[in-house]
Amino acid sequence: MSTRNLDTLMAPRSVVAIGASERPGSVGAAVTHNLLAGGFQGEIYMVNRKGGTIAGRTAFKRVSDLPEPADLAVIMTPAETIPSLIVALGEAGTRTAVVISAGPGSGPDAGVVNARWRQRLLNAAKPYLLRIVGPNCIGYAAPRLGLNASFGPTRLKGGRIAAIAQSGAVLAGLADWGVAQGIGFSHLISMGDMADVDFGDVLDMLARDYETRAVLMYVEGITNARKFMSAARGVARVKPVIVLKGGRHAAAAQATASHTGSMAGSAAVYDAAFARAGLVRVLGLGELFDAAETLGYGIALRNERLAILTNGGGAGIIATDLLMDEGGELATLLPRSIGNLDKQMPRGWSRANPVDIVGDADGARYAAALNGLADDRGVGAVLAMNVPTALTSSVEAARAIVSAAGTKVVPVIGCWIGGPEAQAGRHVLHEAGIPAYDTPLRAVRGFMHLVEYRRGQRALQRTPPSVPEVRSDTDLVRSIVQAALAQKRSVLTEPEAKRVLAAYGVPVVPTEVARDAAGAAAAAVRIGFPVAVKILSRDITHKTDVGGVALDLMSEQAVLDAVREMTGKILVMANKARIDGFVVQPMIRRPHAVELILGAAEDAVFGPIILVGHGGVAAEGIDDKALALPPLDPVLAEDALSRTRVDRLLRGYRDRAPADRSAVGEVMIRLSQLIADVGEIAELDINPLLADADGVIALDARIVVRRPQKGPERAARFAIRPYPVELETEIEHRGEKLRLRPIRPDDEPMLQAFTRRMTPEDVRMRFFGPLREMSHELAARLTQIDYDREMAFLLLEGGGELVGVGRLVADPDFQQGEFALTVASDRQGRGYGELLLRHVLQYGKSRGMKRVVGHVLRENSRMLELAKHLGFRREGGRSGEPDIRLIKSLASV
């Protein structure tokens, strides 16, 4: 359902507490007290089956007795009463309920019992589209509204940070920390068991909430990966999201038939997903608090280089060491800046960064130093540090920082080290909207969270280069897979696996298959010595484990001896395995090559994943890997590869030339496409993939297959919908051949060139204002789309020139989509606009949308006439309004 009716959660006008109570120590009493003490200006109703009064207010016995339906219900009654209460609330008109109560189950069958109970809640809510938060949560609070419908801390401060957590204890801790630090919250949402409303729903709401500047998340598990990724990527483009994953080391690994499957742990997959979405990841509650300090204040770095200003040299050195440990960068001061500071600082100052202004530094010296650093454009932010001394006042220093002119120019982070005196200084900084910490470690981490968020934003906007198109023989791959499944085999033979890779353009070592020793020797003669011989058996997955590999064989006799020896070993070590033959390959002499492992596997939550890392027989022992969520492009492949230690070897060292890293990325991209095209592939390994200056070659491969999955489209198993190649189409229009296809990230230059060719008037009609040049940021936003919720179709002439763009953006509920349409200024009047709009409408209907809307400037007569021709009706258009809203039901399309 996504965000439908959740506006009544985020901004309710009235609340009803069902199970309200005055009994000391009860949840009902705690929630009732918090509701009444928060200062909520809307109506607060109480429901208790005994009636009477609670806290001086009338307690109604039934929901039906309320004088009006409440926007938000908070339910604290026994589990067995709640399904009927949901029905009563739905009938009354309430559309959101926070269920604090836990399920009725206990003992060994609790999971099954509670799952059935949660389904009863959903069944009760469905006819009324009533949304459920929880169950089994501590409640909900919107401090900026004075609403505290929870049994968490009572005193809450309104602010710009939203906190959402699966754990009620973690949320209560965040709330209490905010009280202690003087930091306020826009929303505090306890997710509980997430029977209905999940993280994706809440993130969609918070993306549009102007009162929320940053989001803190504590996640234990994701229920709907695609919805989560779409929502997370959307909100991360406009505000920082800091996430802490609980249960990182849960022992949940299942036995797998590939190295990739065993190396890709749950925590690593979550980390890859968070990185792909642009979220800032932290590893503990303390770090979550630290990130909230900086990101919650809405600080924007000038660059990623830090200047450290301190009255204690040792404190500055410690901060510098910590910055280096965290991968940060210390700013190098310009000579001019040093000269200016020389004029104002005492003789003993450091004359470098860290800027040590000596232990007797007063407020005036702090302000002068900060102003000097603010004038240096090489400084991205200033970490102002203070250690209390008997010579000066820490509070005076904090006030000087607050009032300094440089504070308005360069972002400032405070670190006031010490007890009561330092705490008073931190309070001054907090009150002025400057984040302040009590230790150098926390301050440096706070700065690095800003850096990580900045890098994440850039990563979301990077334009990938075009990938050379490689012919992929998908039909051949499917025939190989189907033949194996028909033989009831779940693992392809090595020759089959290599044929699959070759069909997708992955370089593989030449391979011959022999039935016996004599055939292997004959094959070796044809190939040329030296050769490698491997066992071919449908029952053996890891050949080296049973002595099934022989290398550097230099003669026919050596091949004969090797085959006999490995046959004997297998009869002992795997006596039930069938020997189907022997694989003979040339020995690949690439002495400077690096061994990599590339693979694909499927995570239970996020679906297919791609792995790259240090390969060879010790791949699992070395455990040097990086994961990425497909689909991939050159930028994403490069990012994953750069996160491995083996990448240092690939970049070259001493007499070793750098390897062709782009060739490694191309293989990753082709594997991504392979698993998207052929859903029967469950796991895949290339190990080793040799990489050197001459390119890459796969020496060994293993592919695990399964029966086709039933249900939704093949791409539905992906957390991020791959490029929908099935939507590409060739059409004939008025005697000319045109091509329609979805937009791709690498289309950014073409889209910018298209916009430059448009007349200023046509640009104004499309973007509702002048646009001299389409910026990279805007072009990236328009080309790097979420194919699940948004679609943009390019209309291309036979020569590949872009002549029109039709766009459709769905709301999270997929009930409605908003369209936009652009046709090249020199191609108007040819019917391209109608062609594109009809195509967009058909697509919207195919995705289950009920209606399409659009906003058109009232002077855009051509667009208004086309909309009328296609059956749109008008809304708005009153005097003074610049645009007219167009609406069309898709029932008749």
Side-chain angles (χ1 to χ4, degrees):
M1 277 189 195
S2 199
T3 60
R4 198 179 316 175
N5 289 331
L6 286 183
D7 55 328
T8 58
L9 171 72
M10 309 297 270
R13 293 166 298 179
S14 57
V15 181
V16 56
I18 304 175
S21 173
E22 289 183 302
R23 179 167 59 85
S26 68
V27 170
V31 174
T32 300
H33 174 266
N34 282 349
L35 266 175
L36 297 177
F40 181 60
Q41 297 301 301
E43 291 290 340
I44 298 175
Y45 300 111
M46 308 287 177
V47 172
N48 185 295
R49 61 185 178 85
K50 296 180 180 179
T53 60
I54 295 175
R57 294 175 176 245
T58 300
F60 298 94
K61 292 184 177 181
R62 291 172 295 273
V63 169
S64 58
D65 296 336
L66 296 177
E68 63 176 351
D71 281 347
L72 174 65
V74 185
I75 304 176
M76 302 157 283
T77 59
E80 61 271 12
T81 67
I82 297 178
S84 60
L85 284 170
I86 295 293
V87 172
L89 288 166
E91 290 177 344
T94 296
R95 291 296 173 260
T96 309
V98 176
V99 180
I100 291 177
S101 310
S106 62
D109 297 329
V112 175
V113 172
N114 288 335
R116 290 174 179 168
W117 174 75
R118 288 193 296 270
Q119 189 58 50
R120 288 177 61 201
L121 299 187
L122 295 177
N123 294 342
K126 186 175 180 179
Y128 311 101
L129 299 179
L130 187 148
R131 308 306 306 279
I132 296 173
V133 178
N136 191 23
C137 66
I138 69 167
Y140 167 73
R144 62 189 176 84
L145 300 178
L147 174 64
N148 187 354
S150 77
F151 61 90
T154 298
R155 295 179 300 126
L156 298 175
K157 181 180 178 181
R160 296 296 187 91
I161 301 174
I164 52 180
Q166 268 175 286
S167 165
V170 170
L171 190 70
L174 282 169
D176 198 51
W177 166 81
V179 171
Q181 297 293 320
I183 292 176
F185 294 93
S186 58
H187 305 278
L188 290 151
I189 308 172
S190 178
M191 303 299 294
D193 292 342
M194 296 194 298
D196 173 21
V197 176
D198 61 16
F199 284 112
D201 301 331
V202 173
L203 289 176
D204 275 327
M205 288 297 300
L206 293 175
R208 301 196 297 271
D209 182 20
Y210 296 109
E211 298 296 328
T212 296
R213 184 179 286 164
V215 181
L216 305 182
M217 293 178 63
Y218 171 75
V219 175
E220 291 175 359
I222 300 297
T223 53
N224 186 321
R226 178 171 288 191
K227 181 168 67 172
F228 171 80
M229 291 299 292
S230 292
R233 293 165 78 197
V235 70
R237 286 182 179 274
V238 294
K239 61 192 72 175
V241 181
I242 308 104
V243 58
L244 169 61
K245 170 69 172 72
R248 291 177 54 82
H249 298 289
Q254 298 179 345
T256 59
S258 67
H259 292 289
T260 300
S262 60
M263 291 173 68
S266 173
V269 178
Y270 269 92
D271 285 347
F274 295 154
R276 181 69 181 273
L279 310 188
V280 178
R281 295 157 292 161
V282 297
L283 298 179
L285 277 176
E287 204 178 346
L288 188 66
F289 296 156
D290 294 345
E293 277 271 320
T294 46
L295 293 169
Y297 281 110
I299 293 175
L301 299 178
R302 295 198 301 194
N303 57 58
E304 295 174 7
R305 297 181 291 274
L306 180 67
I308 299 173
L309 169 62
T310 178
N311 68 339
I317 292 171
I318 291 170
T320 301
D321 285 341
L322 292 168
L323 181 68
M324 298 299 103
D325 290 343
E326 296 287 330
E329 183 179 357
L330 198 66
T332 299
L333 301 183
L334 295 172
R336 177 174 55 83
S337 300
I338 295 175
N340 290 338
L341 288 170
D342 251 341
K343 299 173 184 177
Q344 304 178 73
M345 296 299 108
R347 182 176 299 176
W349 85 283
S350 62
R351 303 194 79 255
N353 186 17
V355 179
D356 179 4
I357 58 175
V358 192
D360 64 348
D362 57 10
R365 194 182 300 170
Y366 264 100
L370 178 60
N371 291 339
L373 292 173
D375 288 338
D376 191 323
R377 295 302 298 178
V379 173
V382 174
L383 171 57
M385 305 180 70
N386 179 269
V387 181
T389 72
L391 302 175
T392 58
S393 165
S394 291
V395 173
E396 180 194 343
R399 288 174 179 156
I401 290 292
V402 168
S403 59
T407 302
K408 299 179 177 62
V409 178
V410 66
V412 177
I413 298 169
C415 179
W416 259 233
I417 305 169
E421 175 77 4
Q423 185 175 356
R426 291 194 296 271
H427 178 74
V428 170
L429 296 173
H430 278 143
E431 288 297 306
I434 297 174
Y437 299 93
D438 57 356
T439 70
L441 176 61
R442 296 186 63 206
V444 167
R445 281 184 175 170
F447 168 73
M448 289 306 298
H449 293 139
L450 289 170
V451 171
E452 186 177 346
Y453 174 63
R454 194 169 186 266
R455 290 172 179 172
Q457 290 294 290
R458 288 206 306 270
L460 288 173
Q461 297 176 353
R462 288 179 297 185
T463 304
S466 299
V467 181
E469 291 192 13
V470 177
R471 293 178 63 89
S472 302
D473 196 340
T474 306
D475 290 338
L476 172 62
V477 173
R478 289 205 176 102
S479 68
I480 294 170
V481 170
Q482 292 303 324
L485 292 173
Q487 297 171 17
K488 298 184 179 179
R489 287 190 289 123
S490 62
V491 181
L492 300 187
T493 65
E494 181 185 343
E496 288 173 334
K498 287 180 176 172
R499 288 175 65 202
V500 167
L501 295 179
Y504 270 72
V506 178
V508 296
V509 62
T511 299
E512 286 199 32
V513 177
R515 295 181 58 85
D516 52 26
V525 171
R526 288 192 297 273
I527 291 172
F529 296 101
V531 297
V533 176
K534 305 175 186 177
I535 193 72
L536 179 60
S537 172
R538 70 193 71 182
D539 302 317
I540 297 174
T541 300
H542 300 293
K543 294 180 283 292
T544 54
D545 293 349
V546 294
V549 178
L551 305 176
D552 283 310
L553 304 178
M554 302 299 295
S555 65
E556 291 182 72
Q557 188 59 48
V559 172
L560 293 170
D561 292 342
V563 169
R564 294 186 186 110
E565 183 179 351
M566 74 174 59
T567 302
K569 286 181 179 179
I570 290 167
L571 290 174
V572 174
M573 300 178 68
N575 58 0
K576 294 184 179 179
R578 289 164 290 184
I579 298 177
D580 300 315
F582 303 90
V583 174
V584 185
Q585 300 167 336
M587 286 298 300
I588 302 300
R589 298 298 191 188
R590 297 174 80 158
H592 291 169
V594 178
E595 288 189 335
L596 301 176
I597 179 172
L598 265 65
E602 195 147 321
D603 181 71
V605 176
F606 291 98
I609 54 173
I610 300 294
L611 176 143
V612 61
H614 202 303
V617 293
E620 293 177 41
I622 295 173
D623 193 26
D624 172 28
K625 66 178 183 296
L627 302 181
L629 266 63
L632 299 183
D633 58 35
V635 168
L636 294 169
E638 154 71 23
D639 176 68
L641 187 59
S642 67
R643 287 186 277 117
T644 63
R645 299 190 302 274
V646 74
D647 188 47
R648 301 172 193 171
L649 303 181
L650 293 173
R651 293 178 184 272
Y653 61 97
R654 294 185 181 175
D655 63 334
R656 303 288 179 93
D660 187 350
R661 298 171 69 255
S662 64
V664 179
E666 285 183 23
V667 175
M668 295 172 66
I669 293 168
R670 291 168 190 173
L671 292 188
S672 172
Q673 188 60 49
L674 172 60
I675 60 175
D677 290 344
V678 186
E680 293 87 344
I681 295 177
E683 296 178 25
L684 183 152
D685 275 346
I686 302 174
N687 186 30
L689 178 82
L690 297 186
D692 60 16
D694 295 325
V696 297
I697 188 167
L699 299 191
D700 202 353
R702 180 181 301 106
I703 296 178
V704 180
V705 296
R706 61 180 171 207
R707 292 289 175 188
Q709 293 178 308
K710 297 180 180 179
E713 57 177 320
R714 63 164 179 82
R717 69 189 197 279
F718 284 77
I720 301 172
R721 187 183 182 189
Y723 174 78
V725 65
E726 67 277 5
L727 297 181
E728 294 183 350
T729 183
E730 304 281 345
I731 59 174
E732 188 168 320
H733 174 73
R734 298 182 181 179
E736 64 176 324
K737 291 185 178 180
L738 303 171
R739 186 184 180 201
L740 272 166
R741 67 163 173 83
I743 203 166
R744 297 191 303 248
D746 58 319
D747 288 324
E748 179 180 326
M750 181 165 63
L751 187 65
Q752 290 174 316
F754 172 79
T755 306
R756 284 194 292 270
R757 296 199 313 269
M758 294 171 62
T759 65
E761 183 66 6
D762 282 346
V763 169
R764 187 177 73 86
M765 293 297 180
R766 168 61 180 90
F767 295 103
F768 285 37
L771 189 71
R772 287 187 177 181
E773 178 77 18
M774 179 177 283
S775 67
H776 161 66
E777 289 75 19
L778 177 57
R781 172 65 191 88
L782 295 176
T783 54
Q784 298 177 30
I785 65 174
D786 181 336
Y787 294 116
D788 194 50
R789 296 187 177 185
E790 184 175 0
M791 188 59 65
F793 291 101
L794 303 186
L795 183 63
L796 303 146
E797 287 183 334
E801 184 173 358
L802 178 61
V803 295
V805 184
R807 189 176 299 270
L808 186 64
V809 181
D811 63 22
D813 305 321
F814 279 89
Q815 297 296 300
Q816 178 173 289
E818 182 172 348
F819 82 90
L821 190 66
T822 312
V823 175
S825 299
D826 58 353
R827 297 295 197 278
Q828 294 177 10
R830 301 187 183 187
Y832 290 164
E834 180 175 349
L835 187 156
L836 268 170
L837 187 50
R838 286 187 182 277
H839 194 76
V840 164
L841 296 176
Q842 286 287 354
Y843 174 77
K845 184 173 183 178
S846 73
R847 294 302 308 275
M849 296 179 200
K850 301 294 187 296
R851 59 191 169 275
V852 165
V853 303
H855 294 270
V856 177
L857 289 176
R858 58 171 52 249
E859 59 266 39
N860 193 346
S861 57
R862 283 188 174 182
M863 187 65 241
L864 293 173
E865 186 62 31
L866 173 60
K868 180 180 179 181
H869 173 65
L870 294 181
F872 282 82
R873 61 181 175 86
R874 296 187 181 190
E875 275 190 3
R878 296 189 299 271
S879 176
E881 291 184 346
D883 63 294
I884 295 172
R885 188 168 187 257
L886 303 173
I887 304 174
K888 179 173 177 59
S889 169
L890 295 182
S892 59
V893 172

